[in-house]
Structure formats: structure tokens, C-alpha cells
Amino acid sequence: MTIYLTSDLHLGHQNIIRFCDRPFDGVGHMNARLAELWNETVAEQDTVWVLGDVALGALDDSLAWINRLAGHKILVPGNHDRCWQGDRALHKGSPQTRAARRERARARYTAAGFAEIHDDPARFPVAGVAATVSHFPFWGDSHGEDRYVEYRPEDDGGWVLHGHVHDTWRQRGRQVNVGVDAWGGRPVAAERIAALVENGPGDLEPLPWAD
């Protein structure tokens, strides 16, 4: 069994093609190619940690792709996921209303194919250290500013495995971006990330998209 990490698929999101210069002529092409690259990489017995921003657009149509993806899938929600703890819609109404809305949102993602959802940044063993996993890096953003500061993990001097920054970097210091825009559209094996951690802090540009 192999463990993989990925993030920021943005299934169903037309604007991400232009924003990140993805090599697709439309959402249908992008969704199908992302699924193809995933299933070429991941086997059914593997586990994939998805660090947020899974699907946008017509959400039911976009989330339908999740069940087509191989492996045991674990979601750490990002700011574009409807089940993200910071989603404004989950903070309206009475406590009972908010709790019910939150459970419905989570159920939508588990029904789509996620076996687990982890709201808070967790620890992930890699190269003998316990790295933080989160949708957000310690610092930095794809928009040139630090948004969502209150939801970012604390920089404790360790490593963070994250998404959110798209094609801004693959590695920046002790921050490793596992997003599809940094790894040629594919999930990245934990062993590859471990090699980066073993080499120490550095700066790496995104890999080109797979042909």
C-alpha cells in the first residue's frame, strides 16, 4: 500500500484553467484528465490525503467524479469546500441550525466517496518527522497576500504539507505544496515528499503537466 497526497483539483471549475494555465480546453476535458492521471497513479489499496479544494461549479456534478477515483480517500477541507469549517454558510443561524447544516455538508462529501474528513490540521509522519498537513501553508498565497490567516497552521519550526498556492511553488523552505498544479496533475507519493524533507529546506518550481 502506498500513501499519496494531493490537493486543489478544482473539479468543475472553469476559471482555474485560465488562472493556473492548465492545459485543457474546458471543464469536461480537465475533469476527465485529472481522473485519468489519478487512476494511472493510485491503486485501490492505496490511501490518498486530499488537502482541500476538491470541486466547484455545479457541485453535485463535480463531486460525482470522486467515486471514480481509486483508493481510500481522506479529505482535509480547504476554503472552497462546502464542508470547510470556515465556510460562512456554516456559521449562520442557531447552534442547532449550524450543527445540522455542517453535518449535511459533511455527508455530501462522504457520500461522494471520501472515507474520512479531518477538519483540523493533523500530523503526518514523513522522513522521521511529524509534518503538519493542512490546506494552507504557514505563509504565502497564490494571490500575493496571506488570506485566511486565522485558519493557517502555526509555524512551529517543522514542516507543512499543504495546497492552496496552486502553481506558485512546489517547495518553499519547509513548505511542500502537494497540489496538482505543482506535480504534473498527479497525486504525489509520500516517499517523494520524504526525499524533499530529508534534503532540507529549499525552493522548487512546479513540475510541468503530464502529457
Side-chain angles (χ1 to χ4, degrees), residues 116-179:
E116 304 174 41
I117 300 175
H118 294 267
D119 291 313
D120 297 320
R123 291 287 184 170
F124 190 89
V126 57
V129 301
T132 297
V133 293
S134 171
H135 176 66
F136 301 104
F138 295 139
W139 51 266
D141 204 300
S142 58
H143 288 71
E145 58 181 309
D146 277 347
R147 300 173 298 158
Y148 308 108
V149 173
E150 65 272 33
Y151 295 103
R152 291 172 180 266
E154 181 181 355
D155 185 350
D156 58 1
W159 289 75
V160 62
L161 315 181
H162 65 89
H164 188 62
V165 300
H166 294 283
D167 54 357
T168 308
W169 69 73
R170 183 160 47 110
Q171 181 180 352
R172 182 71 54 84
R174 292 174 285 101
Q175 305 183 130
V176 180
N177 172 22
V178 302

Side-chain angles (χ1 to χ4, degrees), residues 15-205:
N15 287 342
I16 200 67
I17 298 173
R18 173 182 53 82
F19 181 73
C20 290
D21 197 26
R22 292 186 177 183
F24 307 114
D25 55 18
V27 164
H29 181 200
M30 178 179 71
N31 292 350
R33 183 58 174 152
L34 284 169
E36 182 179 44
L37 291 171
W38 179 301
N39 289 332
E40 286 177 359
T41 306
V42 178
E44 283 297 340
Q45 69 269 23
D46 296 334
T47 294
V48 186
W49 285 73
V50 182
L51 306 189
D53 287 8
V54 174
L56 287 87
L59 193 60
D60 288 338
D61 293 340
S62 300
L63 283 178
W65 284 89
I66 301 303
N67 270 318
R68 307 182 194 185
L69 305 178
H72 179 90
K73 297 174 285 287
I74 301 172
L75 176 63
V76 177
N79 56 288
H80 284 297
D81 297 314
R82 303 285 177 84
C83 61
W84 177 51
Q85 60 184 336
D87 190 296
R88 293 179 181 177
L90 301 181
H91 293 271
K92 297 177 181 178
S94 68
Q96 294 82 5
T97 298
R98 294 198 299 270
R101 188 179 289 121
R102 183 175 179 78
E103 285 307 308
R104 287 196 300 270
R106 291 170 66 90
R108 201 172 184 184
Y109 283 78
T110 55
F114 284 103
E116 304 174 41
I117 300 175
H118 294 267
D119 291 313
D120 297 320
R123 291 287 184 170
F124 190 89
V126 57
V129 301
T132 297
V133 293
S134 171
H135 176 66
F136 301 104
F138 295 139
W139 51 266
D141 204 300
S142 58
H143 288 71
E145 58 181 309
D146 277 347
R147 300 173 298 158
Y148 308 108
V149 173
E150 65 272 33
Y151 295 103
R152 291 172 180 266
E154 181 181 355
D155 185 350
D156 58 1
W159 289 75
V160 62
L161 315 181
H162 65 89
H164 188 62
V165 300
H166 294 283
D167 54 357
T168 308
W169 69 73
R170 183 160 47 110
Q171 181 180 352
R172 182 71 54 84
R174 292 174 285 101
Q175 305 183 130
V176 180
N177 172 22
V178 302
V180 294
D181 296 292
W183 291 92
R186 300 179 186 271
V188 55
E191 288 86 351
R192 294 190 69 180
I193 296 172
L196 299 183
V197 173
E198 287 172 348
N199 287 336
D203 291 292
L204 293 173
E205 295 297 316

